[in-house]
Amino acid sequence: MPYFSWRVWSGLLWLLSSTLAAGEDTSLLQDWKDVWLFRFFLNVLGYCTIIIPGYFLIGYFKRLNYLETGHGICYPVVKACVFGSESKAGLLEDVSIASRNEADSGSSTKQAIKLVFCAAGLQASYLTWGVLQERVMTRSYGATTPEDQGERFKDSQFLVFMNRILALTVSGLWCVLLKQPRHGAPMYKYSFASLSNILSSWCQYEALKYISFPTQVLAKASKVIPVMLMGKIVSRKSYEYWEYLTAALISVGVSMFLLSSTATKHPSTVTTFSGVVILAGYIVFDSFTSNWQDNLFKYKMSSVQMMFGVNLFSCLFTVGSLLEQGAFFDSLAFMMRHSEFALHAVLLSVCSACGQLFIFYTIAQFGAAVFTIIMTLRQAIAILLSCFLYGHTVTMVGSFGVAVVFLALFLRVYARSRVKTSRRAAQPLQKV
């Protein structure tokens, strides 16, 4: 009976996956196990083999009141993982404001040099990351002649693991070498953001098999809409009228671009239904990640500590799932066969880790508004670079849609900075 049930569920899953995969490049579907929906559920199943035992273990320690009754060599580990060491104490506003005030007090020349350094670091890290990401997911390796199709790398989860293991190493060294605030959050709470972050990254890589890179960049730019929805659901936030207006403009611009996209000979420029579904998954998971991290910052921690905690669980989940599927050693074998892919995978990880550090430094020195402007410019340059290197075509209507999206993004930055300036100006008056 269990065997029969497994066959039925496998058949239904294959049928649904085949339906969603309709219209895709058949070279990507040489095996039904390569269908993205099957891989997605297989990955989630691997994560569940770690999450479910952990859930019951955490519940056991809480019911046992281990914080009061526990002792021995395991007590500090259990306390840190399940209970934490401090109550919620607010985000380190004093630290971030102090660092920004120090930046403001410096000479204009020094500030200009810092700004150029931050902008150059962010652009170099993420533009290189975008180019390599498209190269790895849309092109083959090992082709010696034009007739030879070569070999495609298919396991997006391995790339996620590569990115996370290096980010974990960098953030761990940062925490050890530089002074950090005392950590108070229960470690298990990072697992929620970690799981959604893994799934969003997997969707980001996987989507490039079915849609163009410019489409993906625009979809990521439009994630402010689900972020606002998740903010209402998860954090119970309220938004201003200009936030709804710019969100609507972004929706219009993205719709114009998607509806004007034309299919060309290369399969990576075709926006398929599966690609849209995967992108929607990316946006939803990424929106949850940012809102959950906002809640975690209510504990006293630095951004690098957040980076370490999330990446710690990300490595645990991905390596466990890869080993259970047998995909870990298959991916290593692919790296051994194709040294060019190994170089690209390592560079992807380096760019991802360095980019995260540049994000923290830029926000600490200049604030979120300047960082958002730099990253918005990066998205525009990434679209142009992808069209130049990989031959994507954008129609006149599509170009206008892109312009509408980035205009809306800059309007959001301008409106947010005006609101913050007016609030700071009103604070002294209230004290008087």
Side-chain angles (χ1 to χ4, degrees):
M1 188 68 178
Y3 175 75
F4 176 74
S5 300
W6 164 248
R7 292 294 297 272
V8 170
W9 280 110
S10 297
L12 290 174
L13 182 59
W14 176 84
L15 181 63
L16 180 59
S17 302
S18 300
T19 303
L20 289 173
E24 295 167 4
D25 181 25
T26 55
S27 64
L28 295 174
L29 303 176
Q30 295 173 356
D31 189 342
W32 72 276
K33 293 181 181 179
D34 291 333
V35 176
W36 70 268
L37 189 60
F38 178 82
R39 289 195 303 272
F40 176 81
F41 280 110
L42 203 61
N43 293 345
V44 172
L45 186 63
Y47 306 148
C48 287
T49 60
I50 299 173
I51 293 171
I52 294 175
Y55 171 80
F56 285 111
L57 198 60
I58 290 170
Y60 169 76
F61 283 121
K62 287 185 174 180
R63 288 193 304 271
L64 195 64
N65 198 17
Y66 189 83
L67 190 61
E68 302 295 334
T69 61
H71 60 276
I73 192 171
C74 294
Y75 179 79
V77 177
V78 175
K79 180 184 176 184
C81 292
V82 179
F83 301 99
S85 58
E86 290 182 3
S87 60
K88 294 184 179 181
L91 181 56
L92 302 174
E93 295 290 346
D94 53 338
V95 177
S96 58
I97 292 173
S99 61
R100 224 168 292 160
N101 288 339
E102 289 175 6
D104 293 339
S105 63
S107 65
S108 57
T109 304
K110 187 176 180 181
Q111 282 297 97
I113 293 173
K114 280 186 179 181
L115 181 59
V116 170
F117 172 72
C118 291
L122 287 169
Q123 299 289 353
S125 297
Y126 284 105
L127 287 175
T128 305
W129 179 79
V131 170
L132 289 173
Q133 184 187 40
E134 187 169 10
R135 168 66 182 89
V136 169
M137 299 308 299
T138 64
R139 300 295 189 270
S140 59
Y141 290 90
T144 55
T145 62
E147 294 78 15
D148 187 5
Q149 293 185 351
E151 188 179 7
R152 288 272 192 99
F153 183 76
K154 300 176 182 179
D155 199 334
S156 301
Q157 186 176 213
F158 182 77
L159 295 176
V160 176
F161 166 74
M162 288 284 292
N163 291 350
R164 298 302 177 267
I165 192 67
L166 185 60
L168 176 68
T169 305
V170 171
S171 58
L173 289 174
W174 189 287
C175 290
V176 170
L177 297 177
L178 299 177
K179 185 179 180 181
Q180 302 293 322
R182 184 183 177 188
H183 187 267
M187 288 297 294
Y188 81 90
K189 290 198 172 185
Y190 290 109
S191 63
F192 297 93
S194 175
L195 181 62
S196 59
N197 179 255
I198 291 170
L199 294 174
S200 67
S201 298
W202 183 88
C203 289
Q204 182 173 271
Y205 281 112
E206 197 73 11
L208 283 177
K209 297 178 181 178
Y210 312 111
I211 61 170
S212 66
F213 184 79
T215 302
Q216 187 196 71
V217 172
L218 275 189
K220 290 164 68 175
S222 67
K223 71 181 181 182
V224 293
I225 303 168
V227 165
M228 289 170 64
L229 293 175
M230 284 288 182
K232 275 189 167 297
I233 297 170
V234 177
S235 305
R236 301 185 185 278
K237 293 181 180 178
S238 59
Y239 297 97
E240 302 290 340
Y241 73 92
W242 55 266
E243 293 181 283
Y244 290 106
L245 175 62
T246 52
L249 284 175
I250 290 171
S251 300
V252 171
V254 171
S255 299
M256 291 174 65
F257 178 83
L258 292 177
L259 293 175
S260 66
S261 297
T262 55
T264 59
K265 292 182 180 179
H266 198 280
S268 68
T269 61
V270 182
T271 302
T272 66
F273 178 68
S274 285
V276 173
V277 172
I278 296 171
L279 264 185
Y282 160 76
I283 293 172
V284 170
F285 292 129
D286 193 65
S287 302
F288 177 85
T289 301
S290 59
N291 280 281
W292 188 267
Q293 286 179 326
D294 283 343
N295 284 333
L296 272 181
F297 271 125
K298 293 176 182 177
Y299 294 91
K300 191 177 181 181
M301 70 174 71
S302 68
S303 298
V304 180
Q305 286 174 322
M306 171 74 76
M307 179 179 172
F308 178 82
V310 172
N311 284 307
L312 176 65
F313 280 96
S314 297
C315 290
L316 178 65
F317 290 147
T318 51
V319 75
S321 180
L322 286 166
L323 289 173
E324 289 171 6
Q325 297 176 38
F328 185 80
F329 295 105
D330 289 343
S331 299
L332 289 180
F334 189 95
M335 293 182 73
M336 297 296 291
R337 291 196 302 272
H338 305 289
S339 58
E340 186 183 9
F341 167 76
L343 176 63
H344 290 166
V346 171
L347 285 177
L348 264 175
S349 303
V350 171
C351 290
S352 178
C354 291
Q356 289 185 57
L357 294 178
F358 272 112
I359 287 174
F360 300 145
Y361 183 75
T362 304
I363 292 176
Q365 292 294 319
F366 301 100
V370 172
F371 165 73
T372 304
I373 292 173
I374 294 173
M375 294 304 284
T376 302
L377 288 173
R378 191 272 303 178
Q379 290 175 322
I381 296 172
I383 291 177
L384 296 175
L385 195 60
S386 177
C387 292
F388 175 74
L389 292 177
Y390 297 106
H392 301 299
T393 58
V394 181
T395 64
M396 187 67 68
V397 176
S399 301
F400 185 72
V402 173
V404 170
V405 170
F406 287 108
L407 173 64
L409 291 174
F410 281 117
L411 284 175
R412 285 181 69 87
V413 175
Y414 174 75
R416 187 177 287 113
S417 63
R418 287 291 300 270
V419 169
K420 288 184 177 180
T421 302
S422 62
R423 286 176 180 172
R424 279 198 293 265
Q427 285 176 354
L429 296 177
Q430 291 174 357
K431 292 179 181 179
V432 173

